[in-house]
Each structure stands twice: as C-alpha cells, then as structure tokens.
Amino acid sequence: MKKISKILSAVFSPLIVPCYGIAMSLCVTPLFVIPFKTRAMVLGMCAIFLFLIPALSVMGLYRMGIIKDVGLNNRNERTVPYLVTMACYGVCAYYLYRINAPFWLVGFIVGGLLTILVNLLVNLRWKISGHMAAMGGWLGVTFFIALNHLAVINMMWIVIIIVILAGVVGTARLILERHTPMQLLAGTANGFLSIYLCAWLLSMMGNPI
C-alpha cells in the first residue's frame, strides 16, 4: 500500500495538480472554442510557471544541501521553495492577464498564490498538507465552474471523480504517515476557499467568459 501511496503522491503532487485544473478549465468551459494549438500553448506556459520552475528550484535547493528532502516533508524546509513558487504564481497570473484570459481564470492562479501564502504562514507553527491544499484548490476550480454555469458539459461526474480523487490522495498521505487528519482537512479547506473566493472576486471585475 505504501508503494501505491507514493505513486499517488507523485501523480497528484502540489506542483502538478494546478496544471490539471488549468487543463480542465480550458476543456470544459467556453474556452474550449479556442483553437487547440493556442490552448496547448497557454497550458504549456502555465506548466512552466506552476510546475517546471518550482520543481527545478526544489531540485537545485536539494543539490545545494539547503533542503534534505525533495518531497518537502519537513515543514521547516518549505519556506524558500514556497517563496519561489509564489513568485512563479505571480508571474503566471500576470501572463494570463496580459493575454486577456477571463478574470475568473486569473483568479484561479491568484487563489493558488494565496493558498501557498497561507500554507507558508501556517507551516511556521504547524504542518499543513500541501497535497490536500492542491486537491482542495482543484475542487475549488471545479465547483466554481459548475456553480457559476461556466461549463459546456455536465459537470456532475467530473465533480464526483475529483472528490473521490481528493479522498484517495488524503488516504495515501495518511498511509505514508505524512499528516494527521486535521492537517489534511486544513489543507483542503485552505485550497478550496482561497481559490473559489479569489475566482469569484475577480470574476466580479471582468467578463465571466
């Protein structure tokens, strides 16, 4: 079970899950009418900021001996990687804004930045789950799209699947003994609320589609 849990933790890493959310947003909303090549380019640029640069920074810090675990399981080693990731999210949000992406989509990234900031501050005193913050954020994206009627398809099964995935990832983190149930719940709530509220607030400032 631990081997499977490690695989799940890697597949649903906090650095990768936001890319899943962006990909979903580009496929199930009116943004689907944009040519595939353009959507792929946008997703690729977002992946560079949300995944590639933060991942390379973690590897670099590991090689320099600043952190001892690339999984950042020690909360005391998360500060610098989190700051780098926040900067990357800021650049990604600006990129989406510059290409005239819907404000709610920009809100997803701003919400992700807020999620990391909250995680960073909480981690100074208490360990909070980064994995579940990411999964909670994906849930926030999904519920925002569904509840605000942005989807061009029936979102019921997508919502169900992502809720189940969140439960599976949370279970995997418990099996690996990385977190307590309260740390998982706190991370999920942080991700969900930060992203949903930021998307809602920014959507009030611009065209919903």
Side-chain angles (χ1 to χ4, degrees):
M1 286 299 293
K2 285 198 172 184
K3 185 175 182 179
I4 295 175
S5 296
K6 287 181 180 179
I7 293 172
L8 287 169
S9 293
V11 172
F12 296 101
S13 160
L15 296 181
I16 300 175
V17 169
C19 298
Y20 298 159
I22 295 295
M24 182 187 73
S25 302
L26 294 172
C27 292
V28 304
T29 69
L31 296 175
F32 178 75
V33 302
I34 297 173
F36 175 79
K37 184 177 179 180
T38 302
R39 286 183 289 137
M41 182 184 70
V42 171
L43 178 59
M45 289 298 294
C46 288
I48 289 173
F49 297 126
L50 305 180
F51 170 70
L52 184 60
I53 297 176
L56 290 176
S57 70
V58 170
M59 290 302 300
L61 291 169
Y62 176 74
R63 289 183 177 277
M64 288 186 289
I66 297 176
I67 61 175
K68 296 180 175 61
D69 179 12
V70 293
L72 302 179
N73 291 306
N74 185 341
R75 69 179 178 87
N76 296 319
E77 296 182 347
R78 295 181 173 184
T79 301
V80 175
Y82 275 17
L83 289 173
V84 172
T85 304
M86 286 174 60
C88 290
Y89 269 68
V91 174
C92 186
Y94 180 72
Y95 162 72
L96 290 176
Y97 170 75
R98 290 292 297 174
I99 64 172
N100 295 316
F103 276 22
W104 54 261
L105 186 62
V106 179
F108 292 162
I109 306 301
V110 174
L113 194 159
L114 177 60
T115 299
I116 300 168
L117 175 60
V118 172
N119 268 18
L120 172 62
L121 295 176
V122 172
N123 267 296
L124 296 176
R125 294 286 184 178
W126 185 63
K127 190 176 181 181
I128 186 172
S129 175
H131 276 79
M132 292 313 296
M135 294 304 296
W138 194 4
L139 285 171
V141 169
T142 307
F143 273 83
F144 182 86
I145 290 173
L147 295 178
N148 289 275
H149 310 292
L150 292 172
V152 296
I153 63 172
N154 189 331
M155 289 291 289
M156 182 181 70
W157 284 108
I158 293 179
V159 169
I160 291 172
I161 289 170
I162 296 176
V163 168
I164 292 172
L165 285 175
V168 169
V169 173
T171 302
R173 302 306 287 170
L174 287 175
I175 291 172
L176 293 173
E177 300 179 349
R178 301 302 190 194
H179 295 286
T180 65
M182 282 304 299
Q183 291 168 349
L184 298 176
L185 181 61
T188 305
N190 176 29
F192 183 92
L193 293 174
S194 294
I195 287 183
Y196 191 97
L197 291 176
C198 283
W200 178 73
L201 288 172
L202 265 71
S203 71
M204 296 296 100
M205 299 170 58
N207 191 320
I209 58 175

